[in-house]
Amino acid sequence: PGSVVVLRGPNGVGKTSLLRTLSGLVKPGSGEVTGSDATVFVGHKNAVKPVLSVVENLSFFAEVYGQKEVQSAIAAFGLQALIDRPGGELSAGQTRRLGLARAIVSKRPVWALDEPTVGLDGASLAAVIAVAKTHCAAGGALILATHVEIDLPVAQTLDLDQFRAKIETSATDGAFL
């Protein structure tokens, strides 16, 4: 509780796959993951329904998680002026904030966030950091994949590059991998 774990490594090393596995969306190759029902995964694809408004998107995801309240997520990510705007009409940063707001409405204690800062301006990044700190201060935990430094009290950084499978390739394979 209260911890932040940062996953690092180059593209394709398995950060997203690990987050999806920890969240119960992908079965592990061996062993088992327990507690995934306490985790919400917010991927780099925001899962915003383009025909639904901001409030309808959040209400949909709240219902998926057995919740109803969405106003705290709207306020936390500064989406008040956009509540009636269709998801398909949002900017990239607005869409990202709406996607991240799903973590709040889930009421899950563990947030698995994949590249949460992509597409955000400085003010939006500050909002994400504030939300993350509030979540951890309330006993929640974060596991996030990111390539940028983020102002959070990181308990551990895990470099996944050390686990990359070593694949033998021919000289021409590099053009196709």
Side-chain angles (χ1 to χ4, degrees), residues 2-75:
S3 294
V4 177
V5 176
V6 174
L7 305 177
R8 299 266 189 206
N11 293 334
V13 78
K15 298 179 300 292
T16 300
S17 296
L18 177 57
L19 290 173
R20 291 176 55 84
T21 303
L22 293 172
S23 301
L25 300 173
V26 174
K27 291 188 182 232
S30 64
E32 65 181 74
V33 175
T34 59
S36 60
D37 57 338
T39 304
V40 60
F41 173 75
V42 179
H44 58 275
K45 295 181 181 176
N46 294 303
V48 170
K49 311 300 179 211
V51 298
L52 298 181
S53 70
V54 166
V55 73
E56 290 168 335
N57 266 284
L58 283 176
S59 295
F60 170 80
F61 281 107
E63 191 171 322
V64 165
Y65 292 106
Q67 305 297 323
K68 293 191 185 312
E69 197 278 320
V70 298
Q71 293 306 315
S72 61
I74 289 169

Side-chain angles (χ1 to χ4, degrees), residues 82-173:
L82 304 170
I83 60 171
D84 294 322
R85 186 170 298 173
E89 294 180 12
L90 299 174
S91 72
Q94 292 166 339
T95 302
R96 187 64 183 145
R97 292 190 334 240
L98 176 56
L100 289 165
R102 290 190 347 255
I104 294 175
V105 301
S106 77
K107 304 286 190 219
R108 300 262 173 111
V110 180
W111 295 356
L113 307 179
D114 193 6
E115 298 291 350
T117 62
V118 171
L120 297 180
D121 61 19
S124 297
L125 177 58
V128 169
I129 290 170
V131 166
K133 286 180 177 179
T134 299
H135 178 66
C136 289
L142 300 174
I143 306 167
L144 60 109
T146 183
H147 292 283
V148 300
E149 293 300 319
I150 190 162
D151 184 25
L152 290 172
V154 176
Q156 182 177 1
T157 300
L158 178 61
D159 184 353
L160 295 184
D161 198 36
Q162 65 182 315
F163 302 108
R164 186 189 334 217
K166 304 302 178 193
I167 303 170
E168 290 189 35
T169 59
S170 71
T172 58
D173 284 342

